[in-house]
Amino acid sequence: MTRPTDVDLSARVGRLDLGLCVMNASGPLCTHDDELETLASSRAGAVVIKSATLEPRKGNVEPRIHLGGDGTLSINSVGLCNLGYRAHAAQAARLRQGAGKPIIASVAGFTPGEYVEMASVAGRASDAIEVNLSCPNVSGKVQVGLDPEASEAVLRGVRQATDRDIWVKLPPYQDASQVSTMAGVLRRCGVSAAVCINSPSGLDVDVENEVTVIHPNGGMGGLGGADCRRIARWNIRQFHLALEGALPVIGVGGVSTAEDVYGHILCGASAVQIGTALLASGPRIFDRIESELAGLMRRRGVVRISDKIGALRIRPEEETP
Ligand code: DHB
């Protein structure tokens, strides 16, 4: 399959060019070699690897991921199951040979020093580093992304440790002043993209059996899928406005169709990531989204998807009768 030539579905994120403005979200189907090779040879515009920790982790006990609503909803408490950053950096280096698309390593440290060490090694092996400040499933400490000073310390360290583009995976915020503070942090730290949003915390109930749908963390975890879409859009829009074009936003949350992609882009995303729908449908989802998005753009007379970044209009005021 070749990309359509009459419409431009590409994205520029920092210094990277993506042939398609849609890629996987770190999390599902991006840990093992076979999964990553499948993503690399899919239509995805980039490949993001599972968030790495310093040492390999088995993660939480099963069942730790639940797909519901016919694949439109998920809840997970995987607990950072990963191969460790050295192995993931080696995967990135291998994938970069011939993938023809950017390969992004994700790092999730437990201390600022861990982020720095991982970013320095993973940075040499990949095209950009996604700094995950927002894993909801590791208990004990507040998510770094909810602490602006801690975030700044991590990002300053990472900025010194690598010359690569830095993407920052942010938690969902619920208050515009938190967004404005974090936008300032990102701008001061030389970051290349804000990735909005990681999973909101949630709880699913199997009412029939009066039981949670996953086991770890008291059955509570990170939400994915359609439930996240509007929370993601609020965050994408808020960061798009707060960042004033200084850096792009990558939108994540509740995307399973081309319309979902287009909506995130109208809110201000330059590119979009897919998590739950990738888990439900597999990497062929990128073929479907690519052809649906091309069709949607032709119907709407849009030639370049990038022309629509942030183009959302506010519904006009109506005269009261
Ligand atoms: C996990 C979940 C996340 O949302 C994340 O950002 C990192 C790790 C996990 O449970 O593995």
Side-chain angles (χ1 to χ4, degrees):
M1 224 166 94
T2 52
R3 297 216 190 276
T5 51
D6 57 329
V7 284
D8 179 354
L9 309 175
S10 70
R12 174 106 183 152
V13 177
R15 288 175 290 179
L16 300 180
D17 287 312
L18 282 61
L20 176 68
C21 60
V22 184
M23 73 197 100
N24 70 297
S26 182
L29 307 182
C30 61
T31 303
H32 301 288
D33 289 352
D34 56 335
E35 296 171 328
L36 291 167
E37 280 155 20
T38 308
L39 280 171
S41 57
S42 79
R43 307 295 294 172
V47 176
V48 190
I49 300 175
K50 171 74 184 174
S51 290
T53 51
L54 215 53
E55 301 302 333
R57 286 170 59 93
K58 287 203 170 93
N60 295 332
V61 297
E62 313 259 0
R64 59 191 188 184
I65 304 179
H66 176 79
L67 258 182
D70 287 330
T72 60
L73 303 170
S74 69
I75 183 163
N76 86 83
S77 184
V78 171
L80 278 166
C81 167
N82 76 96
L83 308 180
Y85 79 106
R86 296 175 195 86
H88 288 304
Q91 287 173 324
R94 281 196 299 277
L95 288 168
R96 275 181 93 208
Q97 320 262 319
K101 62 183 69 171
I103 306 297
I104 320 300
S106 168
V107 296
F110 292 102
T111 64
E114 290 187 4
Y115 277 104
V116 169
E117 177 174 343
M118 291 192 283
S120 129
V121 172
R124 284 195 288 278
S126 55
D127 295 294
I129 299 288
E130 188 171 272
V131 179
N132 186 348
L133 298 184
S134 49
C135 174
N137 296 331
V138 184
S139 51
K141 282 204 233 162
V142 70
Q143 290 174 33
V144 182
L146 294 176
D147 178 340
E149 283 170 21
S151 298
E152 185 148 359
V154 166
L155 294 174
R156 281 195 190 284
V158 169
R159 181 66 293 166
Q160 285 193 336
T162 178
D163 294 334
R164 299 292 189 217
D165 281 11
I166 298 169
W167 299 2
V168 181
K169 182 83 169 272
L170 295 165
Y173 299 100
Q174 285 285 317
D175 185 299
S177 77
Q178 290 177 302
V179 172
S180 122
T181 304
M182 282 306 292
V185 170
L186 302 183
R187 289 171 79 161
R188 281 196 296 281
C189 293
V191 165
S192 294
V195 186
C196 303
I197 55 174
N198 208 323
S199 300
S201 298
L203 171 60
D204 233 353
V205 178
D206 171 352
V207 172
E208 182 61 30
N209 296 299
E210 304 185 9
V211 72
T212 63
V213 299
I214 56 172
H215 175 79
N217 283 328
M220 290 174 264
L223 298 181
D227 280 353
C228 304
R229 192 181 309 118
R230 293 181 288 182
I231 302 170
R233 285 185 174 165
W234 185 92
N235 277 269
I236 294 164
R237 187 77 184 152
Q238 289 279 351
F239 272 95
H240 173 72
L241 297 172
L243 289 166
E244 300 173 305
L247 50 138
V249 178
I250 299 172
V252 203
V255 172
S256 66
T257 68
E259 269 173 31
D260 297 334
V261 171
Y262 197 77
H264 277 15
I265 288 174
L266 288 175
C267 291
S270 292
V272 168
Q273 296 181 343
I274 300 186
T276 295
L278 168 63
L279 181 63
S281 304
R284 295 299 300 269
I285 194 168
F286 297 109
D287 299 65
R288 173 170 68 74
I289 297 261
E290 180 179 48
S291 62
E292 279 182 10
L293 186 59
L296 181 154
M297 288 166 62
R298 285 183 198 112
R299 281 196 302 284
R300 302 188 62 81
V302 176
V303 176
R304 271 189 308 271
I305 193 70
S306 59
D307 289 342
K308 289 293 172 181
I309 298 168
L312 187 67
R313 290 179 294 109
I314 298 172
R315 183 174 175 148
E317 188 175 338
E318 288 170 12
E319 297 286 329
T320 39

